[in-house]
Amino acid sequence: MSEWRDAKNRQALARLNRALPEIFPAPVLTHALARSFIPPMPRLAIDSYWRAHPVRADRLARVLAAQSGAPDGWVWRLGAAKPDGLPPTFRAPPAPYREKRFARGRGACCVCGQPVYRFGWHCDLWGEGPNKQAMWHTACVVAWQLWSAPSHYARPLRRFQKHKCAETGKRLMRAAEVDHRVPLFQVWREQRDTSWPQLLRYWGVPNLRVINRAAHVAKSAEEAGLRALGKAAAASDFTSP
Ligand SMILES: [Zn+2]
């Protein structure tokens, strides 16, 4: 097995070295060479780097989004009509540049609105200008996946919390679950006017935590009670304005 892997890695390294441009982000290369299977292409090396660092990807995506700011006239709205690009529920992260009306077109990232360069990188290390084919930063792809399905990122989030339950401080059990500190229904109901991209903090690591199941069940029951109370008071809050 290890001989086979060594042979594969020699081949992959040779391919990577051939394809590698003179300038390449050093941490990405270090990460690639330390993988048990070396990514054979620069693009795959960058992808592998961000997948291994979702917490960093989340932070970067929000920093880039802050450079763009929200487009004039944008408000967080929901909509079932796909052609508009509006998110169907309050669970989806608000993303103005994914909406048809505000999209910046090819060469700009649909998550943060900033230019996308070679290999989906976020700075123009090569002085070539934006990559006119690209519509996502590689970091923003990972951030978007984390925001949309945080439970898939339980492992790095557990590591980020040093394996302690965010609710009780006890060691995280195997069945621990990822939870939003401020539930997203409450964000839609009470924080809807927060400016973008500050809103994204509610989907990102600042609002995510891993807690033991028992603590999670208790919190979910409390939220269900809150929701039922709120529903009676403001039934229209969950529908699109
Ligand atoms: Zn981006």
Side-chain angles (χ1 to χ4, degrees):
M1 174 67 181
S2 100
E3 261 176 45
W4 173 78
R5 194 173 68 190
D6 289 349
K8 280 288 263 191
N9 275 341
R10 272 195 301 278
Q11 275 176 3
L13 186 59
R15 277 185 72 189
L16 181 64
N17 279 333
R18 273 199 303 274
L20 211 59
E22 226 167 278
I23 301 169
F24 197 67
V28 175
L29 191 57
T30 308
H31 172 80
L33 299 181
R35 304 285 302 149
S36 49
F37 285 96
I38 296 175
M41 297 301 286
R43 177 78 207 213
L44 296 175
I46 288 183
D47 189 59
S48 163
Y49 174 81
W50 288 117
R51 280 186 195 290
H53 298 294
V55 174
R56 217 171 282 176
D58 160 58
R59 203 182 307 136
L60 176 64
R62 287 183 291 110
V63 166
L64 293 170
Q67 286 170 15
S68 302
D72 284 344
W74 180 83
V75 282
W76 182 20
R77 290 187 305 145
L78 307 180
K82 274 233 162 94
D84 290 339
L86 290 175
T89 82
F90 60 79
R91 301 205 168 276
Y97 298 107
R98 280 171 65 92
E99 293 178 20
K100 208 171 178 183
R101 200 173 141 207
F102 301 109
R104 291 185 162 180
R106 294 196 171 271
C109 176
C110 64
V111 174
C112 68
Q114 288 294 296
V116 185
Y117 301 103
R118 198 169 179 186
F119 306 126
W121 200 244
H122 52 283
C123 330
D124 193 5
L125 300 177
W126 304 272
E128 292 174 343
N131 172 357
K132 289 292 179 195
Q133 300 306 311
M135 293 185 78
W136 292 77
H137 291 119
T138 317
C140 291
V141 171
V142 173
W144 185 260
Q145 288 168 348
L146 169 70
W147 300 340
S148 307
S151 59
H152 295 178
Y153 288 84
R155 265 175 85 174
L157 292 171
R158 291 169 81 109
R159 223 170 23 237
F160 186 65
Q161 277 179 216
K162 300 192 166 52
H163 304 277
K164 296 264 185 346
C165 171
E167 183 80 23
T168 62
K170 292 187 182 150
R171 189 164 177 82
L172 282 171
M173 315 287 276
R174 192 194 285 266
E177 289 171 1
V178 180
D179 174 48
H180 291 97
R181 286 171 202 274
V182 181
L184 296 177
F185 77 86
Q186 204 172 319
V187 176
W188 171 250
R189 190 188 288 169
E190 294 166 14
Q191 310 293 332
R192 206 181 302 172
D193 297 330
T194 307
S195 61
W196 190 90
Q198 279 70 31
L199 253 183
L200 289 175
R201 289 174 65 83
Y202 291 110
W203 281 260
V205 174
N207 194 37
L208 292 176
R209 59 183 197 162
V210 191
I211 55 179
N212 282 330
R213 215 179 124 67
H216 197 179
V217 169
K219 181 168 178 274
S220 300
E222 196 183 307
E223 276 167 21
L226 270 177
R227 263 206 303 270
L229 274 175
K231 243 181 196 168
S236 62
D237 263 0
F238 284 94
T239 55
S240 171

